[in-house]
Every structure is written in structure tokens, then in C-alpha cells.
Amino acid sequence: MDKRNLTLLTDLYELTMMQGYYVENSANETVIFDMFYRSNPNKNGYAICAGLDQVIDYINNLHFDDEDIEYLRGTKIFRDDFLEYLRNFKFTGDIYAIPEGSVIFPREPLVKVIAPIMQAQLIETALLNIINHQSLIATKAARVVLAAEGDGVMEFGLRRAQGPDAGIYGARAAMIAGCVGTSNVLCGRMFDVPVLGTHAHSWIMSFPDELTAFRAYAKTFPTACTLLVDTYDTLKSGIPNAITVFKEMRAAGIPLKNYGIRLDSGDLAYLSKRAKEMLDEAGFSDAVISASNDLDENIISSLKLQGATINRWGVGTNLITSKDCPAFGGVYKLAAVKDDKNGEFIPKIKLSENAEKITNPGNKKIYRIYNKKTGKIIADYICLEDEILSEDESLMLFDPVETWKRTKLNAGSFEVKELLVPVFKNGECVYKSPSVMEIRDFCKKELDTLWDESKRLAYPHETYVDLSQKLWDMRYELLQKYHYQEL
């Protein structure tokens, strides 16, 4: 893909703080920032992490062009010596992240940045912009795919997306979460994913009649003939004319594959059942019945309950915009500052009258704990970087808020995996992103590690994210230091 310099894709206060660090001679102070989110979108039981590959592109191309510096100079906000300092700016720190396609949960770091404070501060806005958006759409798409119960879901949202980038990267995220293809041709080219589509009502309307339009389409695309049947009258005209064309194709010896009809309006449950009866009666029981028309996971689930015979779903506006939950609440918080004298990290905590906004301090890592027999997730376990979790020792899990809720895992009954992987070391990328289709396969396996109860569309079971005793003690000590009592 083409590289873009997104260095100024940032909030002004990132730059003003950078100048402040420069003036205070703290530009090279090493810090740790965590990116995490506080609650799942769509009241879901999980989220899907996406966007890391674009973060890598952003970091690799992070620099201030001469034009950038002259623009900043023209704002009359920044000192000349600071602007000259920016000419040689580059990222030299470390980044750890949870791989794309992973199932993720609230309050655990998705990205950990260890870098000089000016660098760590600058990348906040773009990092949040990229990961928040793609994780939001991937999570929404995962819900839609789940509702489809194994039927193919096609991402059809480009024309309703909030701009070109949202359309391109939203489609990418939807593919990661399990869509079988996208209508977005540029996304297909950029990320080597399948592109899918049929035709519009305008195709039908441009011919003298519907049957002529269907015949012309079948002649042009004999091996991908899906006919839109609701331009005039679905049951009296569209489906009968489609059947006529399919019969003509069969009589001409044209193999009928990747063929069928699309419904885009009306009572989809009723129309699909009648369409199935008509197609079966004509000998086309393997014809695909696809549907579009402002679908989402709830409508698809309802249509399934009504016995709709649709087996391919084109989902547009509600997916690409995540219409019922239009934002992913990722945040980026300072967790530690390095002591130059002894090289150790001093933990930092953000306090709030809202208990859920109190952060977890220190240099942390995350273990995912699985049931050894089922392979399902038991909990995620946030601990300090120097802690080692052993499968050969028993483990006590406890709720970080309601600490009396405790579960003991016996040695040998569970398996663990560390979630954060190194992406940048000393400013150099050490991670190679898989292809989108490889991430899609990985995401499917990740979703299989969730209990069915955690995947319910409504009122799902909550997967626990627990703190180690050592991290909990550090957090409590800092709360006491600042004379704060948790509500």
C-alpha cells in the first residue's frame, strides 16, 4: 500500500506537551503508556483487536517534513529551537501489542509503549484513532457473522462509510472478523481479500424489460450469476424471470455454479421462503438466496428464527458504521516512569471519582488462562513484567474489585499464553503482520476459545480480567498514598 506521512494526525495538545517536555529537559525520560478500553462495544462479551498493521506503517513512517515544520511555525505556538529539534525526530522506543484478530477484554493493555516521553506522547492520538476504529468494526462484524450461523456474510458498506479510509479499513476489519468478502475493490487490491457483488436496480431499469436484463447479465457473468429480483415485483416477476434464465442456461449446457437471487426489500422472511419453494419446484434447489437491505445481527437473528431460507447476507450501513455503537472507547494512559538512577520503573496511577477510570500502574504483561480440557478461556491475568506464571503450580484468581470472589486453579488443570508480543524494539520493527486472510483464520480460532455463553448477542457472560496479587498490592499502595478510597 502507499505510505502516507501521518505525523500531524494528532491532537494539538500532544505537540504542546512535547514542547513542554523539551523546555523542561525531560524529552528523553523513558515512560510506559498502556492503551486499553473500559467496556465492550455493543454490550458484547468480548471485542476483536484490529489495526496493528496500520499502526506499524504509521510508526515506520513517523517524521516531520519541512512542510510540517513550516506549518507548525505558522501557528505561532512553537519555539524555533523546538521546531528545529523536530527535523530529526524518529521513534526509537519499544512497542508490545496483542496480535490482530485476538479476542480481547476490557481493562487489559492492547498496546504497551516504552519510549522517551515525547515519542510516546506524540503517537497517542493516531494509535487510538487506528485501533479504536478497526477494533470497533471487527467486533461488530463478528456479531453479524455469529448471527449468520455459518452463512456467508458480505461486507457491502463502502458507500455509507464515514469517508474513504473508514470504508477501506472498516472493510479490512470486517474481513478479519469473518466476512467472506467485500464489495470494496480498493480494499481487495490493497489487502488481497475476495471482492464480491451482484448488480444494482439500475441494471434492470436500463433494459426494456427485466427478463432481457437478466439474460444480458447471465451472458456476461455465466459463472457468477446472482440476479436482483425485487426491481418490479419479486414473486410475480423477479423470481419467475430468474428461473427462466436459469433454465435457459441449463439447456445451453452452461454449468450452474455461484448462481442465485438477491432480495433487497420487502418481508425477507416471507419472500425468501416463497423464493425457496419456487426455486426448488423448478429444480434449482442449490441456488443461493442472498439478502441485503439494512441488515444487522439482530435482524439476521430474527429472520433465522422466522425460518428465512436466506443463506448469504450482504450487510452494509449497520456494519461499516457500527451504527448502534459508533465508538470504541480505547484510552491511552501513563503507567510508569523510569528512574534514571537505578533503571527501575516508578509506577504511576490515574485516580478518579469513577472507580472504573482508575488505572492499573506499572510495567505489566498479560497471560491468558485456558481450561486444559476444553481449550476455553477461563480468565485473563494481568501481572507485573517480572512475574512468571507456571502451569505446574496452582493459581488463585480473584476479582480486583470484589476481592472475596476467588477461584483456585489446580496445577496441571490450565494452560497459559502470554498475549503481548514485541512489535518494535529500539525503534525497529521486529514483527511481520500476517495477511488479512491469515488473520481471519486466526480470529476464527480465537472465537472458538470463547464459551458459547460469552458469545450471546444479548446479556453475555463476562470473561474475567484479574490482577495478580503483586499488581493488586501495588495499586492499593498507590491508592493509599494519595488518600483515595475506592467506592
Side-chain angles (χ1 to χ4, degrees):
M1 60 177 289
D2 296 332
K3 303 297 182 183
R4 291 189 296 173
N5 181 6
L6 299 178
T7 304
L8 291 188
L9 184 68
T10 191
D11 292 308
L12 179 62
Y13 80 171
E14 312 288 16
L15 291 163
T16 55
M17 283 190 285
M18 287 175 67
Q19 178 165 271
Y21 297 137
Y22 175 83
V23 172
E24 293 296 317
N25 296 314
S26 59
N28 295 317
E29 182 178 49
T30 300
V31 297
I32 298 176
F33 274 88
D34 294 330
M35 184 209 163
F36 60 96
Y37 69 104
R38 296 190 179 103
S39 60
N40 290 316
N42 306 104
K43 297 182 180 179
N44 210 36
Y46 60 91
I48 301 295
C49 189
L52 178 59
D53 191 50
Q54 282 64 58
V55 170
I56 292 171
D57 287 342
Y58 162 73
I59 296 294
N60 277 333
N61 203 40
L62 193 65
H63 69 281
F64 289 87
D65 292 327
D66 290 344
E67 293 85 354
D68 297 334
I69 292 172
E70 291 311 308
Y71 167 75
L72 294 175
R73 194 187 310 278
T75 66
K76 309 298 183 183
I77 297 172
F78 301 100
R79 295 165 42 140
D80 286 342
D81 54 344
F82 171 68
L83 294 174
E84 290 306 310
Y85 168 85
L86 294 181
R87 290 190 187 279
N88 297 315
F89 182 91
K90 64 174 292 189
F91 185 81
T92 61
D94 302 341
I95 295 178
Y96 298 81
I98 296 178
E100 288 190 273
S102 297
V103 169
I104 52 176
F105 305 106
R107 299 178 299 281
E108 60 191 17
L110 313 183
V111 180
K112 179 171 75 171
V113 177
I114 306 176
I117 193 166
M118 289 178 67
Q119 299 174 27
Q121 195 75 69
L122 175 64
I123 69 174
E124 173 183 6
T125 303
L127 187 151
L128 288 171
N129 174 273
I130 293 167
I131 292 182
N132 277 340
H133 173 246
Q134 291 198 45
S135 298
L136 175 71
I137 304 305
T139 305
K140 180 66 172 181
R143 288 172 58 84
V144 174
V145 170
L146 177 68
E149 298 178 355
D151 298 340
V153 174
M154 303 171 287
E155 186 284 310
F156 277 1
L158 178 57
R159 63 189 59 193
R160 301 286 174 76
Q162 283 101 341
D165 279 1
I168 294 166
Y169 294 107
R172 178 186 186 275
M175 290 300 304
I176 285 173
C179 288
V180 297
T182 175
S183 66
N184 187 329
V185 180
L186 182 54
C187 179
R189 182 183 74 83
M190 290 172 63
F191 302 114
D192 193 24
V193 299
V195 289
L196 299 170
T198 57
H199 60 78
H201 295 103
S202 58
W203 172 268
I204 309 296
M205 296 161 65
S206 68
F207 286 84
D209 57 74
E210 187 175 56
L211 183 57
T212 302
F214 283 175
R215 284 171 171 158
Y217 194 81
K219 180 180 179 181
T220 307
F221 301 103
T223 60
C225 184
T226 299
L227 302 174
L228 181 59
V229 295
D230 71 333
T231 304
Y232 301 121
D233 189 304
T234 301
L235 297 180
K236 294 180 180 179
S237 171
I239 296 173
N241 281 330
I243 289 172
T244 296
V245 170
F246 297 153
K247 286 180 177 178
E248 292 173 351
M249 293 174 71
R250 185 167 58 189
I254 299 172
L256 287 170
K257 56 182 180 179
N258 298 323
Y259 80 106
I261 64 169
R262 177 162 72 97
L263 303 167
D264 189 51
S265 61
D267 187 324
L268 296 180
Y270 171 73
L271 291 174
S272 68
K273 286 185 279 189
R274 288 288 293 119
K276 179 64 173 170
E277 291 172 359
M278 296 166 71
L279 289 164
D280 286 354
E281 186 178 336
F284 301 108
S285 58
D286 61 342
V288 171
I289 300 176
S290 60
S292 45
N293 188 27
D294 287 335
L295 300 172
D296 64 12
E297 68 271 34
N298 298 310
I299 294 173
I300 292 173
S301 182
S302 176
L303 288 169
K304 288 279 188 182
L305 288 173
Q306 296 170 61
T309 59
I310 299 160
N311 48 24
R312 182 158 288 202
W313 307 84
V315 188
T317 304
N318 292 321
L319 191 161
I320 202 67
T321 64
S322 186
K323 188 175 181 180
D324 55 342
C325 180
F328 190 90
V331 296
Y332 186 81
K333 300 298 181 184
L334 182 70
V337 175
K338 192 172 187 178
D339 188 331
D340 289 335
K341 295 180 181 178
N342 59 23
E344 296 182 358
F345 280 104
I346 303 167
K348 298 289 183 177
I349 190 169
K350 177 194 177 297
L351 302 183
S352 172
E353 292 185 3
N354 297 325
E356 69 274 10
K357 289 193 172 185
I358 299 172
T359 59
N360 291 316
N363 185 8
K364 300 175 292 295
K365 61 184 177 183
I366 316 161
Y367 286 105
R368 179 152 292 168
I369 304 171
Y370 301 91
N371 183 296
K372 195 166 187 175
K373 289 184 178 180
T374 66
K376 303 296 185 183
I377 298 172
I378 297 173
D380 279 2
Y381 185 81
I382 308 177
C383 58
L384 295 175
E385 182 62 36
D386 61 359
E387 294 186 78
I388 304 296
L389 207 58
S390 172
E391 298 171 0
D392 299 324
E393 299 177 4
S394 62
L395 176 66
M396 183 66 74
L397 300 177
F398 65 92
D399 189 290
V401 177
E402 299 171 325
T403 55
W404 58 90
K405 294 182 178 180
R406 293 176 177 258
T407 301
K408 182 179 179 181
L409 303 180
N410 294 321
S413 68
F414 62 92
E415 296 177 333
V416 301
K417 179 179 77 171
E418 196 168 338
L419 294 187
L420 290 168
V421 301
V423 178
F424 282 86
K425 296 292 289 183
N426 299 317
E428 298 296 324
C429 185
V430 296
Y431 179 85
K432 179 175 175 55
S433 291
S435 71
V436 170
M437 298 306 286
E438 289 171 336
I439 299 172
R440 181 180 180 272
D441 291 341
F442 171 72
C443 185
K444 184 178 185 301
K445 294 176 182 177
E446 280 282 288
L447 288 165
D448 287 342
T449 66
L450 289 169
W451 301 89
D452 289 341
E453 294 82 352
S454 298
K455 294 188 280 189
R456 283 194 298 257
L457 294 179
Y459 305 106
H461 171 74
E462 178 184 356
T463 300
Y464 294 106
V465 177
D466 296 322
L467 306 184
S468 70
Q469 185 69 55
K470 190 173 180 181
L471 175 56
W472 190 92
D473 290 342
M474 174 187 284
R475 189 176 190 265
Y476 183 77
E477 181 180 340
L478 288 172
L479 289 172
Q480 294 302 304
K481 176 180 177 182
Y482 293 105
H483 306 290
Y484 184 88
Q485 294 184 345
E486 290 194 69
L487 300 177

